[in-house]
Amino acid sequence: MAPLSKAGAALTALREDLSGEVFAPDDPGYDEARTVFNAMIDRRPAVIAQCDSSADVVTAVRFARELDLKIAVRGGGHSVAGMSLNDGGLVVDLRRMHEVTVHPAARAAYIGGGATMSHLDRACEPFGLATTGGRASTTGVGGFVLGGGSGWLDRKFGLAVDNLLGAELVTAEGELVHATAEDHPELFWGLHGGGGNFGIATSLTLRLHELPVMSIAFLLYLPERGPEVVRTYRDVIEAGPPEAAGGAIYMTGPPEEFVPPHLVGLLVCGALVTYAGPEEELRRLVAPLLAIPHEAEMVTALPYAELQCMLDDPPDMRNYWSAEYLTGVPDAFVDVFCARADSMPVPTGTQHVVWPQGGAVASGPADYPVPFRDAPWAVHPFGIWEDEADDERCRQWVKDVRADVRPWSTGAVYLNFTGDEGPDRVVSGLGEKNMARLAALKRQYDPDNVFRFNHNIQPA
């Protein structure tokens, strides 16, 4: 850390040079600026730079390097693991940079580094276009895409990272770099799963696809129906087209209009089938699920942007997430999965989900460092709760789910669903065969490991 006099002068200069806002611990608004989605995360950066432009990001990075400050990067979304904050360092906050420009003729969108899925989806909707996004409107586009990007449309349009056309990055030296398949191609490769290890993504360009209509079927069942529901859901999806996705979900019955009062606050089993097509086709597909006695149903055409809002994770809650990617979901797996629902913390926002991959996920580019691509199914236990007293039991439940399904695990994982689970899990999320190449890329663009508040790749 630099001497106080130098630090004070540098902070004064940062306030003058940044077109965005700067917060230090004594400033009004500092506590609000450091509050993140996961209420378990409580950290106090020395400086928060809320940037308005790529030039602001360059200025902020050079400020931090001059003072030898740690740098964390805050995009638009969740950062459930708390990697977007640090203690005593600089936070580069991109949330003001959320502009989205759609080029319908080119089927592409130019997206600011702080945009959320809602910004992207709403901008694309008037043109009947979309691309694979996170399963919530509050997901940040930047971290989501660079980590791989799994969502409701991935079986049809591929992982989000498969649709990445270009990225603008600020490097650890405070230089602006444009990466595409033609310019800085090795860096472009590393951005397909390597996250924020190589720089701060100030903008992304994504390929868009025609999506004139979207439909969903969401059915709720009593939990004892769970094994039959999950097996039927599996069979429907595996026999269905790539337009169909969704998940089988155990959850607390939410206080929504279509949920009967006798289910609110209690454990329910749900089947969600998302469909990139018309409602009549979806109804034919989900007939076996409709035939199982159920307590509530919603089958309707629904704009994709509205679907993205349906299962938004509530803010200001405590969160602990993880995942396992599976070789399949045979009946023995279904029994184990459903049995674990009995110990799920209820009533909370916690969800116990199994969902499909396959389709365009499996057929996408095999070279990228996203080794979970080959798994046909995934389990995503995510704990969401309010009371600090529930911390241990909720975290343990997530760990128990992972332990239960390990016999069917491929060993690969989607890192965006995990926190700090150790260096071995980072390898599992990037692929052992990719690590030497990624480490060499890290050495080229960030030899001092300035960008280390992430699923970190050590410079070789």
Side-chain angles (χ1 to χ4, degrees), residues 118-177:
S118 182
H119 294 123
L120 175 58
D121 297 336
R122 297 294 183 188
C124 294
E125 189 173 38
F127 304 101
L129 299 172
T131 196
T132 300
R135 293 175 174 87
S137 69
T138 49
T139 301
V141 176
F144 168 76
V145 172
L146 298 183
S150 166
W152 305 127
L153 296 176
D154 57 13
R155 283 169 42 83
K156 178 64 175 174
F157 299 140
L159 297 170
V161 77
D162 297 342
N163 294 288
L164 179 63
L165 300 174
E168 179 186 81
L169 265 74
V170 174
T171 70
E173 297 302 319
E175 302 294 332
L176 202 59
V177 172

Side-chain angles (χ1 to χ4, degrees), residues 44 53 55 95 110 119 237 240 258-259 273 287 309 324 330 332 356 367 405 425 440:
R44 299 186 63 83
S53 64
R95 286 177 296 165
Y110 180 85
H119 294 123
I237 292 294
F258 85 104
V259 179
V273 180
C309 300
E324 291 290 338
D367 183 50
V405 305
R425 282 284 268 181

Side-chain angles (χ1 to χ4, degrees), residues 214-218 272-275 279 282 298-302 307 310:
M214 191 82 191
S215 306
I216 66 158
F218 191 27
L272 172 65
V273 180
T274 62
Y275 191 75
E279 179 186 341
L282 173 62
M298 177 171 57
V299 185
T300 184
L302 186 72
L307 165 63
M310 272 189 60

